[in-house]
PDB file of all heavy atoms in Angstrom:
ATOM      1  N   ILE A 185       0.858  -1.198  -0.016  1.00 81.00           N
ATOM      2  CA  ILE A 185      -0.013   0.018  -0.009  1.00 81.00           C
ATOM      3  C   ILE A 185       0.921   1.205   0.031  1.00 81.00           C
ATOM      4  O   ILE A 185       0.570   2.194  -0.736  1.00 81.00           O
ATOM      5  CB  ILE A 185      -0.992  -0.038   1.182  1.00 81.00           C
ATOM      6  CG1 ILE A 185      -2.027  -1.119   1.007  1.00 81.00           C
ATOM      7  CG2 ILE A 185      -1.618   1.392   1.348  1.00 81.00           C
ATOM      8  CD1 ILE A 185      -2.953  -1.341   2.193  1.00 81.00           C
ATOM      9  N   THR A 186       1.954   1.283   0.771  1.00 82.00           N
ATOM     10  CA  THR A 186       2.869   2.431   0.799  1.00 82.00           C
ATOM     11  C   THR A 186       3.517   2.657  -0.554  1.00 82.00           C
ATOM     12  O   THR A 186       3.547   3.772  -1.018  1.00 82.00           O
ATOM     13  CB  THR A 186       4.008   2.157   1.903  1.00 82.00           C
ATOM     14  OG1 THR A 186       3.303   1.946   3.154  1.00 82.00           O
ATOM     15  CG2 THR A 186       4.896   3.410   2.010  1.00 82.00           C
ATOM     16  N   ILE A 187       3.964   1.577  -1.173  1.00 84.00           N
ATOM     17  CA  ILE A 187       4.584   1.662  -2.515  1.00 84.00           C
ATOM     18  C   ILE A 187       3.558   2.233  -3.520  1.00 84.00           C
ATOM     19  O   ILE A 187       3.820   3.033  -4.364  1.00 84.00           O
ATOM     20  CB  ILE A 187       5.170   0.377  -2.920  1.00 84.00           C
ATOM     21  CG1 ILE A 187       6.438  -0.004  -2.085  1.00 84.00           C
ATOM     22  CG2 ILE A 187       5.510   0.365  -4.452  1.00 84.00           C
ATOM     23  CD1 ILE A 187       6.931  -1.399  -2.292  1.00 84.00           C
ATOM     24  N   ALA A 188       2.292   1.681  -3.455  1.00 76.00           N
ATOM     25  CA  ALA A 188       1.213   2.148  -4.379  1.00 76.00           C
ATOM     26  C   ALA A 188       0.953   3.627  -4.157  1.00 76.00           C
ATOM     27  O   ALA A 188       0.773   4.410  -5.109  1.00 76.00           O
ATOM     28  CB  ALA A 188      -0.006   1.294  -4.162  1.00 76.00           C
ATOM     29  N   ILE A 189       0.904   4.094  -2.913  1.00 83.00           N
ATOM     30  CA  ILE A 189       0.646   5.486  -2.611  1.00 83.00           C
ATOM     31  C   ILE A 189       1.752   6.305  -3.155  1.00 83.00           C
ATOM     32  O   ILE A 189       1.535   7.392  -3.757  1.00 83.00           O
ATOM     33  CB  ILE A 189       0.393   5.683  -1.118  1.00 83.00           C
ATOM     34  CG1 ILE A 189      -0.916   5.066  -0.701  1.00 83.00           C
ATOM     35  CG2 ILE A 189       0.423   7.239  -0.795  1.00 83.00           C
ATOM     36  CD1 ILE A 189      -1.184   5.062   0.777  1.00 83.00           C
ATOM     37  N   ILE A 190       2.996   5.932  -2.910  1.00 85.00           N
ATOM     38  CA  ILE A 190       4.177   6.682  -3.400  1.00 85.00           C
ATOM     39  C   ILE A 190       4.128   6.761  -4.954  1.00 85.00           C
ATOM     40  O   ILE A 190       4.357   7.791  -5.576  1.00 85.00           O
ATOM     41  CB  ILE A 190       5.482   6.055  -2.929  1.00 85.00           C
ATOM     42  CG1 ILE A 190       5.559   6.285  -1.413  1.00 85.00           C
ATOM     43  CG2 ILE A 190       6.681   6.659  -3.630  1.00 85.00           C
ATOM     44  CD1 ILE A 190       6.684   5.559  -0.719  1.00 85.00           C
ATOM     45  N   GLY A 191       3.782   5.627  -5.604  1.00 77.00           N
ATOM     46  CA  GLY A 191       3.716   5.604  -7.051  1.00 77.00           C
ATOM     47  C   GLY A 191       2.567   6.457  -7.544  1.00 77.00           C
ATOM     48  O   GLY A 191       2.807   7.175  -8.584  1.00 77.00           O
ATOM     49  N   LEU A 192       1.463   6.416  -6.906  1.00 75.00           N
ATOM     50  CA  LEU A 192       0.341   7.279  -7.340  1.00 75.00           C
ATOM     51  C   LEU A 192       0.743   8.773  -7.139  1.00 75.00           C
ATOM     52  O   LEU A 192       0.412   9.611  -7.961  1.00 75.00           O
ATOM     53  CB  LEU A 192      -0.899   6.984  -6.472  1.00 75.00           C
ATOM     54  CG  LEU A 192      -2.230   7.676  -6.867  1.00 75.00           C
ATOM     55  CD1 LEU A 192      -2.631   7.415  -8.287  1.00 75.00           C
ATOM     56  CD2 LEU A 192      -3.338   7.250  -5.905  1.00 75.00           C
ATOM     57  N   PHE A 193       1.334   9.108  -5.998  1.00 75.00           N
ATOM     58  CA  PHE A 193       1.788  10.495  -5.757  1.00 75.00           C
ATOM     59  C   PHE A 193       2.790  10.904  -6.862  1.00 75.00           C
ATOM     60  O   PHE A 193       2.740  12.037  -7.351  1.00 75.00           O
ATOM     61  CB  PHE A 193       2.423  10.565  -4.374  1.00 75.00           C
ATOM     62  CG  PHE A 193       2.828  11.922  -3.946  1.00 75.00           C
ATOM     63  CD1 PHE A 193       1.881  12.939  -3.719  1.00 75.00           C
ATOM     64  CD2 PHE A 193       4.127  12.264  -3.880  1.00 75.00           C
ATOM     65  CE1 PHE A 193       2.256  14.250  -3.298  1.00 75.00           C
ATOM     66  CE2 PHE A 193       4.517  13.627  -3.537  1.00 75.00           C
ATOM     67  CZ  PHE A 193       3.597  14.545  -3.288  1.00 75.00           C
ATOM     68  N   GLY A 194       3.762  10.045  -7.219  1.00 78.00           N
ATOM     69  CA  GLY A 194       4.661  10.332  -8.242  1.00 78.00           C
ATOM     70  C   GLY A 194       3.999  10.564  -9.615  1.00 78.00           C
ATOM     71  O   GLY A 194       4.398  11.429 -10.337  1.00 78.00           O
ATOM     72  N   MET A 195       2.965   9.789  -9.893  1.00 80.00           N
ATOM     73  CA  MET A 195       2.228   9.953 -11.162  1.00 80.00           C
ATOM     74  C   MET A 195       1.529  11.261 -11.200  1.00 80.00           C
ATOM     75  O   MET A 195       1.473  11.988 -12.201  1.00 80.00           O
ATOM     76  CB  MET A 195       1.221   8.741 -11.305  1.00 80.00           C
ATOM     77  CG  MET A 195       0.438   8.831 -12.595  1.00 80.00           C
ATOM     78  SD  MET A 195       1.416   8.796 -14.083  1.00 80.00           S
ATOM     79  CE  MET A 195       1.732   7.045 -14.148  1.00 80.00           C
ATOM     80  N   VAL A 196       0.911  11.694 -10.078  1.00 76.00           N
ATOM     81  CA  VAL A 196       0.209  12.982  -9.930  1.00 76.00           C
ATOM     82  C   VAL A 196       1.217  14.081 -10.192  1.00 76.00           C
ATOM     83  O   VAL A 196       0.940  15.056 -10.945  1.00 76.00           O
ATOM     84  CB  VAL A 196      -0.469  13.141  -8.635  1.00 76.00           C
ATOM     85  CG1 VAL A 196      -0.970  14.607  -8.381  1.00 76.00           C
ATOM     86  CG2 VAL A 196      -1.696  12.163  -8.500  1.00 76.00           C
ATOM     87  N   ILE A 197       2.453  14.044  -9.642  1.00 84.00           N
ATOM     88  CA  ILE A 197       3.392  15.081  -9.820  1.00 84.00           C
ATOM     89  C   ILE A 197       3.833  15.098 -11.285  1.00 84.00           C
ATOM     90  O   ILE A 197       3.940  16.164 -11.853  1.00 84.00           O
ATOM     91  CB  ILE A 197       4.628  14.795  -8.899  1.00 84.00           C
ATOM     92  CG1 ILE A 197       4.217  15.034  -7.398  1.00 84.00           C
ATOM     93  CG2 ILE A 197       5.775  15.723  -9.214  1.00 84.00           C
ATOM     94  CD1 ILE A 197       5.337  14.657  -6.411  1.00 84.00           C
ATOM     95  N   TYR A 198       4.052  13.907 -11.851  1.00 82.00           N
ATOM     96  CA  TYR A 198       4.444  13.861 -13.261  1.00 82.00           C
ATOM     97  C   TYR A 198       3.379  14.525 -14.158  1.00 82.00           C
ATOM     98  O   TYR A 198       3.662  15.290 -15.068  1.00 82.00           O
ATOM     99  CB  TYR A 198       4.668  12.412 -13.664  1.00 82.00           C
ATOM    100  CG  TYR A 198       4.894  12.214 -15.123  1.00 82.00           C
ATOM    101  CD1 TYR A 198       6.131  12.560 -15.745  1.00 82.00           C
ATOM    102  CD2 TYR A 198       3.886  11.773 -15.960  1.00 82.00           C
ATOM    103  CE1 TYR A 198       6.374  12.395 -17.086  1.00 82.00           C
ATOM    104  CE2 TYR A 198       4.143  11.615 -17.294  1.00 82.00           C
ATOM    105  CZ  TYR A 198       5.368  11.906 -17.867  1.00 82.00           C
ATOM    106  OH  TYR A 198       5.532  11.799 -19.256  1.00 82.00           O
ATOM    107  N   LEU A 199       2.147  14.187 -13.954  1.00 80.00           N
ATOM    108  CA  LEU A 199       1.065  14.759 -14.761  1.00 80.00           C
ATOM    109  C   LEU A 199       0.903  16.311 -14.582  1.00 80.00           C
ATOM    110  O   LEU A 199       0.661  17.028 -15.479  1.00 80.00           O
ATOM    111  CB  LEU A 199      -0.332  14.048 -14.457  1.00 80.00           C
ATOM    112  CG  LEU A 199      -0.389  12.591 -14.940  1.00 80.00           C
ATOM    113  CD1 LEU A 199      -1.699  11.926 -14.445  1.00 80.00           C
ATOM    114  CD2 LEU A 199      -0.246  12.458 -16.422  1.00 80.00           C
ATOM    115  N   ALA A 200       1.114  16.781 -13.377  1.00 78.00           N
ATOM    116  CA  ALA A 200       1.067  18.181 -13.065  1.00 78.00           C
ATOM    117  C   ALA A 200       2.180  18.938 -13.793  1.00 78.00           C
ATOM    118  O   ALA A 200       1.966  19.982 -14.338  1.00 78.00           O
ATOM    119  CB  ALA A 200       1.191  18.428 -11.548  1.00 78.00           C
ATOM    120  N   ILE A 201       3.396  18.290 -13.832  1.00 86.00           N
ATOM    121  CA  ILE A 201       4.512  18.923 -14.568  1.00 86.00           C
ATOM    122  C   ILE A 201       4.200  18.984 -16.027  1.00 86.00           C
ATOM    123  O   ILE A 201       4.477  19.955 -16.695  1.00 86.00           O
ATOM    124  CB  ILE A 201       5.818  18.173 -14.233  1.00 86.00           C
ATOM    125  CG1 ILE A 201       6.206  18.406 -12.751  1.00 86.00           C
ATOM    126  CG2 ILE A 201       6.928  18.538 -15.170  1.00 86.00           C
ATOM    127  CD1 ILE A 201       7.361  17.521 -12.305  1.00 86.00           C
ATOM    128  N   GLN A 202       3.655  17.850 -16.603  1.00 84.00           N
ATOM    129  CA  GLN A 202       3.336  17.784 -17.979  1.00 84.00           C
ATOM    130  C   GLN A 202       2.259  18.877 -18.348  1.00 84.00           C
ATOM    131  O   GLN A 202       2.357  19.483 -19.367  1.00 84.00           O
ATOM    132  CB  GLN A 202       2.801  16.450 -18.425  1.00 84.00           C
ATOM    133  CG  GLN A 202       3.863  15.357 -18.398  1.00 84.00           C
ATOM    134  CD  GLN A 202       4.914  15.602 -19.438  1.00 84.00           C
ATOM    135  OE1 GLN A 202       4.644  15.961 -20.515  1.00 84.00           O
ATOM    136  NE2 GLN A 202       6.163  15.426 -19.066  1.00 84.00           N
ATOM    137  N   LEU A 203       1.171  19.007 -17.477  1.00 80.00           N
ATOM    138  CA  LEU A 203       0.160  19.983 -17.731  1.00 80.00           C
ATOM    139  C   LEU A 203       0.750  21.378 -17.732  1.00 80.00           C
ATOM    140  O   LEU A 203       0.458  22.241 -18.552  1.00 80.00           O
ATOM    141  CB  LEU A 203      -0.952  19.836 -16.689  1.00 80.00           C
ATOM    142  CG  LEU A 203      -2.016  20.788 -16.820  1.00 80.00           C
ATOM    143  CD1 LEU A 203      -2.819  20.633 -18.110  1.00 80.00           C
ATOM    144  CD2 LEU A 203      -3.091  20.640 -15.681  1.00 80.00           C
ATOM    145  N   LYS A 204       1.647  21.720 -16.762  1.00 83.00           N
ATOM    146  CA  LYS A 204       2.273  23.009 -16.666  1.00 83.00           C
ATOM    147  C   LYS A 204       3.085  23.294 -17.923  1.00 83.00           C
ATOM    148  O   LYS A 204       3.029  24.421 -18.511  1.00 83.00           O
ATOM    149  CB  LYS A 204       3.148  23.098 -15.470  1.00 83.00           C
ATOM    150  CG  LYS A 204       3.697  24.489 -15.195  1.00 83.00           C
ATOM    151  CD  LYS A 204       4.446  24.444 -13.836  1.00 83.00           C
ATOM    152  CE  LYS A 204       4.958  25.861 -13.555  1.00 83.00           C
ATOM    153  NZ  LYS A 204       5.705  25.947 -12.327  1.00 83.00           N
ATOM    154  N   SER A 205       3.783  22.270 -18.434  1.00 80.00           N
ATOM    155  CA  SER A 205       4.602  22.448 -19.614  1.00 80.00           C
ATOM    156  C   SER A 205       3.720  22.763 -20.826  1.00 80.00           C
ATOM    157  O   SER A 205       3.993  23.558 -21.654  1.00 80.00           O
ATOM    158  CB  SER A 205       5.413  21.161 -19.840  1.00 80.00           C
ATOM    159  OG  SER A 205       6.115  21.259 -21.038  1.00 80.00           O
ATOM    160  N   LYS A 206       2.641  21.998 -20.973  1.00 82.00           N
ATOM    161  CA  LYS A 206       1.734  22.209 -22.143  1.00 82.00           C
ATOM    162  C   LYS A 206       1.093  23.578 -22.000  1.00 82.00           C
ATOM    163  O   LYS A 206       0.928  24.267 -23.091  1.00 82.00           O
ATOM    164  CB  LYS A 206       0.638  21.149 -22.124  1.00 82.00           C
ATOM    165  CG  LYS A 206       1.143  19.745 -22.384  1.00 82.00           C
ATOM    166  CD  LYS A 206       1.702  19.582 -23.751  1.00 82.00           C
ATOM    167  CE  LYS A 206       2.261  18.208 -24.001  1.00 82.00           C
ATOM    168  NZ  LYS A 206       3.024  18.090 -25.105  1.00 82.00           N
ATOM    169  N   ASN A 207       0.722  24.051 -20.826  1.00 77.00           N
ATOM    170  CA  ASN A 207       0.175  25.401 -20.692  1.00 77.00           C
ATOM    171  C   ASN A 207       1.125  26.467 -21.106  1.00 77.00           C
ATOM    172  O   ASN A 207       0.804  27.444 -21.727  1.00 77.00           O
ATOM    173  CB  ASN A 207      -0.298  25.643 -19.285  1.00 77.00           C
ATOM    174  CG  ASN A 207      -1.647  24.947 -19.029  1.00 77.00           C
ATOM    175  OD1 ASN A 207      -2.365  24.585 -19.934  1.00 77.00           O
ATOM    176  ND2 ASN A 207      -1.983  24.709 -17.756  1.00 77.00           N
ATOM    177  N   LYS A 208       2.469  26.298 -20.774  1.00 82.00           N
ATOM    178  CA  LYS A 208       3.483  27.197 -21.164  1.00 82.00           C
ATOM    179  C   LYS A 208       3.617  27.240 -22.727  1.00 82.00           C
ATOM    180  O   LYS A 208       3.693  28.274 -23.306  1.00 82.00           O
ATOM    181  CB  LYS A 208       4.809  26.899 -20.554  1.00 82.00           C
ATOM    182  CG  LYS A 208       4.933  27.265 -19.099  1.00 82.00           C
ATOM    183  CD  LYS A 208       6.309  26.947 -18.560  1.00 82.00           C
ATOM    184  CE  LYS A 208       6.441  27.316 -17.118  1.00 82.00           C
ATOM    185  NZ  LYS A 208       7.745  27.049 -16.541  1.00 82.00           N
TER     186      LYS A 208
END
């Protein structure tokens, strides 16, 4: 569960960075 949460958190951060890049 801890690994899954860390992975999910990492995915959210990655998607947020991609969205910010596309907006720029």
Side-chain angles (χ1 to χ4, degrees):
I185 291 174
T186 303
I187 291 171
I189 290 172
I190 290 171
L192 184 59
F193 184 69
M195 182 61 80
V196 168
I197 290 173
Y198 173 77
L199 291 175
I201 290 170
Q202 290 296 319
L203 180 62
K204 187 175 182 179
S205 174
K206 294 296 180 191
N207 283 340
K208 283 183 182 178

